[in-house]
Amino acid sequence: MTYAIGVDFGTESGRAALVDLSGGAVLATSVVRYPSAVIDETLPSTGERLPDDYALQDPDDWVKVLKRGIPAVMKESGVDPDQVVGVGIDFTSCTVLPTTSEGTPLCKLKEWRNRKQAWPKLWKHHAAQPVADRLNEVALERGEAFLERYGGRISSEWYFPKLIEVWLEDREIYDAAAQYIEATDWIVWWLTGSECRQTATAGFKAMWSPQEGLPPTEYFTAAYPGFDHPGEKLGNTFVALGTKAGTLRAEVAKKLKLSESTAVAVGNVDAWVSVPGVGVEEPGTFVIVIGTSICDMIVHPEEVRLPGITGVVKDGILPGMYGYEAGQAAVGDMLAWFVDRLVMDSGSYGALEEAAAKLEPGETGLVALDWWNGNRTILADADLTGAIFGLGLHTSREQIYRALLESIAFGSRRIMDNFEEHGLVLSRIVACGGIAERSPLMMQLLADTSGRQVHVPEVSEIPARGAALFGAVAAGVYPDIGSAIEATRPRQVRTYEPDLDAKQTYDRVYEIYRTLYDTLGRSEVRLMHELKRIRTQRRDA
Amino acid sequence: MTYAIGVDFGTESGRAALVDLSGGAVLATSVVRYPSAVIDETLPSTGERLPDDYALQDPDDWVKVLKRGIPAVMKESGVDPDQVVGVGIDFTSCTVLPTTSEGTPLCKLKEWRNRKQAWPKLWKHHAAQPVADRLNEVALERGEAFLERYGGRISSEWYFPKLIEVWLEDREIYDAAAQYIEATDWIVWWLTGSECRQTATAGFKAMWSPQEGLPPTEYFTAAYPGFDHPGEKLGNTFVALGTKAGTLRAEVAKKLKLSESTAVAVGNVDAWVSVPGVGVEEPGTFVIVIGTSICDMIVHPEEVRLPGITGVVKDGILPGMYGYEAGQAAVGDMLAWFVDRLVMDSGSYGALEEAAAKLEPGETGLVALDWWNGNRTILADADLTGAIFGLGLHTSREQIYRALLESIAFGSRRIMDNFEEHGLVLSRIVACGGIAERSPLMMQLLADTSGRQVHVPEVSEIPARGAALFGAVAAGVYPDIGSAIEATRPRQVRTYEPDLDAKQTYDRVYEIYRTLYDTLGRSEVRLMHELKRIRTQRRDA
């Protein structure tokens, strides 16, 4: 009997899961909340008020997940440490931090801890938006080819906007940092003592590709004169997902109650590990991780460059395949807004779902644009805002709730249409994440609006499970991730069949959605932008 | 000392007010609810379920208002019956009923009372929409000039759609009716014993004009072959507002505790009597009656034919002037929807108003289209529905509430712009009605979005007061309504000054509103219509 442990680092907490590698069952789980959670109000070391759009974290919180979570699953399962052959981790991304050459986070050093640029920036730190705007502007001016790999636009959440923000705001921190590294790679470094970066975040978040490397230095200096060593904090060797980064350091093994011989896989990212976690390795399956927001993933043997995606990266999700990513910015967030902020009855989710499920397709008379948090793809426009059409004196709470769910489904269909219009055939949907488990109506709507089967694997701890599989590959239990997926594919799957009568009605509603989408998101987008500009100017006045 | 009584017949109740003609003060008021209120579920005589969009009333309820309300104000005020020289009444319109040649409502006769077409149809009876559609279609085909007086479109609420519905649905009732008469004229008939119709409802609701009479018979027969005596139930003599219809019948005077010599003015309509009621007689003042919905009125010495109004009628509001009417379909209704149906906290109006008043112009980031009940003017499209743009995770209840108020103000500005673009200069706004009294924020927004002063006369019972003034004119106390208005103009007026800084911001938001209005209400109106069609088809399936 062999086992692997996966550790899934989320936004508010980390989860460790111990997986039986003979069939993929999760034997024990432990959840550890980050004491400092998301640091977005004041800097812990000084109490200094943080600017808008800051979102930092404390690396000690992450280490706590390992030190508490792994011993907890070992104890709960009663497994012998020698039988735990591999560890894999996944993390939110792009979450990045500056470290010394030994891997000490600068924010943990007395010298630097009072400086906000020394702290890890969480994926949703958005204060580098002006940098991203500038980088996009110059990339368009110069006709930079790399942009095509990212659907035509880079995000403020990525590596270079966050790094250049350090360079602009606090040059001493920039100079003191030997590394500016993804948290996922930093955790692996902490576990093994060896710094080992992987191709996936380099590709999806740092604009690197195996063929082309980084964008040219002249591009960066054209945007930011003086920023002339773009790769100096990133490193230049990147290995494939599933590679063994090393084994546990002796003192770490002791603290984690594991054996020193345990293999550690290179770092990985929460959304991507869900693909092996749900048992998908084949092209043509659209994997939706649906929770606070949506991350969509497809693997495909060839590279197709298309607009309206977050990125396409070789070996980016599964080694040997091109990984494609897209997504929707507000999902669970938007539903929580409706329930907690508008209806103000946080106990009403179940009742709303039940009442909304009784309505017929088209019966609400409503169409919404799900842009409560901007549009991630296919428009990649953070300045878009949500809209509801068709309101009348008869409109009920559950009708609006259903219209919000429908808008999420239409947004997904728009993304799938975009892939199909560029030649990637999508035959089915596999969904996972909190809303896949909690909202059968949402799943049925994904089926009814797209005309595709939706499969929801009935398995817990999907990301941690996926991460553990990479740990198993690193340990050599499986020759590759494909074999690992095959051996551990979830056996219980809930299937939602598309209702073709509903599909016919939704085709009509979707035509309206798509026209409003194109009108307010493109041809008349100035209206939405002006609305946001007025609001921002008023707020700042 | 002389007095007059005005009786204002609303949708749910009637109000009598006794007015001191020396200065216009209201000395006593009495409200009488209609026991049957709006009959929209089952026919009282049979229990038969009524079709959708039916809204009937019981004439006995109206008589009850007179028999209880007038003695009540006489008693309360202690005024000598001989000093009450005139009575004026106003009614909702177009509320119409079939009667015998003696004025007995057919629904009060055993022979006919079980037939729904025998009952009075309330203004908001909408079951004649197919008739209105057909009449509009044929009028457009034939290029009927009369359409221009009604902004290009007639409403299902008006006289001929309701009458032709009787003719189509129950020919026996049609044949049995000697008269099909406005309720306002029927009440005067009941009071005086003489049938005396006036020009105002004939003009605004029955497509009649002093120069042109009714539309040609060929027009009606083109739409409905066989409907070849269009005027036979309407009569053909119409007198000006303020004319004395007669004096009280002896038995009526006794019951009402009034003198037989009391003059009774011809009937009038609730919105129109508000113009003298608030002391307006001059062109250039935009009178807004703002409650459940909005009725806008202007008087002007010349006739201008323009699209996007409900009508222009000579002597229609004040004798000697052209009266113009426009309006918005959902106002208090829409706010009640938000509070009672969405927020579900009917006690929160005050808190929402207070919180919304603290927000800055443009700060909500929202724009709404106030079409919860369709658009009355300038689009005259009942199939439009409401929309909210700019929603985000930060959006609060009070922001949406304020955006709804702003959308009402923008809708008013759109109507004022339309008048001004056709040459009617509007220098100020006078507002009355429930929302003018209850929402200072709404009044300030009307001022800030339009750049005009808003005056809210601080006087109660405005319609009943206006009706009483016509009673005074009928009694000869004043030579004309202008003199009556001058003598009784409200002395206390609350003025809202436009804030020019707010206006600048609102000009920017209004540009967005107007583009969305034109896009969704005109160029892309098929989207809204298709949305409603899908809903209706699903509901009827």
Side-chain angles (χ1 to χ4, degrees), chain A residues 362 365 512, chain B residues 382-385 526-539:
Chain A
I512 300 169
Chain B
D383 291 332
L384 292 177
T385 44
R526 62 185 176 82
L527 297 175
M528 288 289 198
H529 288 173
E530 169 75 352
L531 205 51
K532 176 138 185 195
R533 203 175 302 123
I534 294 170
R535 180 171 92 83
T536 311
Q537 287 166 356
R538 270 288 166 177
R539 199 190 51 197

Side-chain angles (χ1 to χ4, degrees), chain B residues 312-459:
Chain B
V312 47
V313 169
K314 185 163 189 305
D315 305 328
I317 296 171
L318 297 180
M321 291 279 203
Y322 283 87
Y324 295 78
E325 210 192 76
Q328 289 169 258
V331 181
D333 261 6
M334 178 172 68
L335 301 177
W337 168 84
F338 182 72
V339 172
D340 299 334
R341 238 176 124 73
L342 196 60
V343 167
M344 289 194 191
D345 174 7
S346 53
S348 63
Y349 279 102
L352 281 169
E353 166 104 4
E354 198 180 319
K358 288 190 184 127
L359 300 171
E360 295 284 325
E363 189 187 336
T364 66
L366 300 170
V367 167
L369 291 172
D370 56 319
W371 300 343
W372 264 248
N373 209 8
N375 176 294
R376 191 175 292 166
T377 62
I378 62 170
L379 298 171
D381 186 342
D383 291 332
L384 292 177
T385 44
I388 306 178
F389 307 83
L391 294 158
L393 298 175
H394 62 276
T395 304
S396 65
R397 280 182 172 182
E398 57 263 31
Q399 286 179 339
I400 296 180
Y401 190 78
R402 185 176 174 114
L404 295 180
L405 295 182
E406 289 171 348
S407 77
I408 295 164
F410 289 142
S412 291
R413 177 162 168 192
R414 185 71 198 84
I415 289 167
M416 287 186 272
D417 279 3
N418 184 53
F419 279 116
E420 292 223 317
E421 285 159 13
H422 290 86
L424 282 89
V425 176
L426 300 173
S427 55
R428 65 171 189 139
I429 296 169
V430 171
C432 62
I435 291 187
E437 288 157 29
R438 284 197 306 272
S439 177
L441 176 58
M442 183 73 245
M443 296 301 102
Q444 189 60 51
L445 290 173
L446 281 172
D448 291 348
T449 54
S450 74
R452 294 180 175 90
Q453 281 188 334
V454 175
H455 300 278
V456 179
E458 295 194 329
V459 63

Side-chain angles (χ1 to χ4, degrees), chain A residues 257-305:
Chain A
K257 315 285 187 208
L258 291 176
S259 153
E260 281 180 47
S261 64
T262 307
V264 178
V266 291
N268 210 324
V269 166
D270 50 1
W272 307 334
V273 291
S274 296
V275 175
V278 293
V280 169
E281 52 171 327
E282 72 286 357
T285 294
F286 189 69
V287 177
I288 299 186
V289 182
I290 178 167
T292 306
S293 63
I294 281 179
C295 184
D296 302 309
M297 287 158 291
I298 311 171
V299 294
H300 193 70
E302 284 122 41
E303 181 175 20
V304 177
R305 295 199 173 181

Side-chain angles (χ1 to χ4, degrees), chain B residues 231-311:
Chain B
E232 66 179 334
K233 315 287 181 184
L234 179 70
N236 46 29
T237 310
F238 307 100
V239 301
L241 297 177
T243 304
K244 177 175 169 177
T247 53
L248 292 173
R249 289 191 285 147
E251 68 268 37
V252 166
K254 201 171 159 198
K255 278 179 193 145
L256 303 189
K257 316 285 186 206
L258 291 175
S259 152
E260 281 180 48
S261 64
T262 307
V264 179
V266 290
N268 211 323
V269 166
D270 50 1
W272 308 335
V273 290
S274 297
V275 175
V278 292
V280 169
E281 52 171 327
E282 71 286 358
T285 292
F286 189 70
V287 177
I288 299 185
V289 182
I290 178 167
T292 305
S293 64
I294 282 179
C295 186
D296 302 309
M297 286 158 292
I298 310 171
V299 294
H300 193 72
E302 284 121 42
E303 180 174 22
V304 176
R305 295 200 173 180
L306 74 165
I309 60 173
T310 340

Side-chain angles (χ1 to χ4, degrees), chain A residues 30-247:
Chain A
S30 170
V31 183
V32 181
R33 293 195 70 80
Y34 305 151
S36 302
V38 179
I39 300 166
D40 53 7
E41 299 197 344
T42 55
L43 198 66
S45 49
T46 60
E48 172 193 355
R49 174 136 229 101
L50 292 171
D52 272 5
D53 294 329
Y54 263 61
L56 310 178
Q57 287 198 322
D58 186 337
D60 285 351
D61 291 354
W62 308 334
V63 169
K64 198 162 284 167
V65 172
L66 296 169
K67 287 187 181 165
R68 292 197 186 158
I70 292 181
V73 295
M74 291 304 292
K75 190 174 173 198
E76 188 192 337
S77 64
V79 159
D80 185 324
D82 287 333
Q83 291 178 298
V84 178
V85 294
V87 169
I89 72 117
D90 68 84
F91 215 103
T92 62
S93 174
C94 172
T95 298
V96 276
L97 65 156
T99 70
T100 66
S101 56
E102 290 81 40
T104 306
L106 294 194
C107 67
K108 293 290 122 189
L109 297 174
K110 200 171 170 196
E111 194 180 354
W112 305 119
R113 71 180 180 204
N114 291 351
R115 311 272 274 264
K116 53 184 178 292
Q117 294 296 336
W119 289 69
K121 291 178 185 166
L122 184 60
W123 65 276
K124 67 176 177 179
H125 173 92
H126 287 137
Q129 187 63 52
V131 181
D133 291 345
R134 175 77 184 139
L135 289 175
N136 278 313
E137 186 189 357
V138 174
L140 286 172
E141 275 168 19
R142 292 173 44 97
E144 290 289 346
F146 79 88
L147 262 195
E148 282 182 17
R149 297 200 307 272
Y150 304 101
R153 200 176 165 112
I154 68 165
S155 162
S156 70
E157 293 181 2
W158 293 357
Y159 184 86
F160 280 106
K162 280 171 171 153
L163 175 61
I164 292 172
E165 191 193 14
V166 180
W167 184 80
L168 289 169
E169 299 279 322
D170 195 337
R171 194 65 56 88
E172 285 184 341
I173 293 292
Y174 182 86
D175 291 338
Q179 308 278 345
Y180 202 64
I181 189 169
E182 284 272 355
T184 195
D185 292 330
W186 181 79
I187 290 284
V188 169
W189 193 356
W190 185 88
L191 286 166
T192 63
S194 73
E195 190 224 329
C196 184
R197 306 203 191 192
Q198 32 65 44
T199 55
T201 56
F204 274 112
K205 312 290 177 168
M207 292 129 76
W208 175 88
S209 94
Q211 295 82 20
E212 299 165 30
L214 287 180
T217 300
E218 304 80 60
Y219 159 64
F220 288 103
T221 56
Y224 289 100
F227 187 77
D228 47 15
H229 290 81
E232 65 179 336
K233 314 288 181 185
L234 177 71
N236 45 32
T237 310
F238 306 100
V239 301
L241 296 178
T243 302
K244 177 175 167 177
T247 53

Side-chain angles (χ1 to χ4, degrees), chain A residues 342 386 391 395 397 505 538, chain B residues 337 342 386 391 395 397 505 538:
Chain A
L342 197 60
L391 294 159
T395 303
R397 280 182 172 181
T505 301
R538 269 289 168 176
Chain B
W337 168 84
L342 196 60
L391 294 158
T395 304
R397 280 182 172 182
T505 301
R538 270 288 166 177

